[in-house]
Amino acid sequence: LTKNETLLMQAFIKNQTKITTLQEIFHILWQDEPHLASTKTLKSIISRLRKKLPDTIIENVYSLGYRLIY
């Protein structure tokens, strides 16, 4: 996993089945460089992460964020 994928998985695991909001994810991934944060970049990271994980383990909660399903 890449650095951002690892940070994202840690956030999902920490929140267990709770929703990790987009604001939380942006803060976790780009706290030192907020100008790099974008929804397009986040979607790309999520897409790459989904390819490396079992089927449908990451759920998108429309306009709120993401959560793990396990």
Side-chain angles (χ1 to χ4, degrees):
L1 297 177
T2 66
K3 175 187 158 196
N4 284 338
E5 291 168 352
T6 302
L7 290 171
L8 192 54
M9 278 304 295
Q10 288 173 345
F12 288 151
I13 291 168
K14 178 182 160 202
N15 286 339
Q16 297 179 349
T17 57
K18 296 178 188 172
I19 297 170
T20 305
T21 66
L22 295 174
Q23 292 79 18
E24 290 173 328
I25 294 171
F26 287 145
H27 178 74
I28 291 166
L29 297 181
W30 297 289
Q31 62 184 340
D32 297 331
E33 301 174 286
H35 63 281
L36 296 177
S38 75
T39 305
K40 185 177 179 180
T41 305
L42 177 59
K43 285 182 181 182
S44 174
I45 294 168
I46 294 284
S47 175
R48 287 192 320 263
L49 186 57
R50 281 182 169 152
K51 290 177 184 177
K52 297 175 183 179
L53 295 173
D55 294 337
T56 63
I57 194 168
I58 298 175
E59 178 185 40
N60 177 20
V61 181
Y62 184 73
S63 77
L64 291 177
Y66 296 88
R67 69 176 166 191
L68 282 183
I69 301 173
Y70 58 96

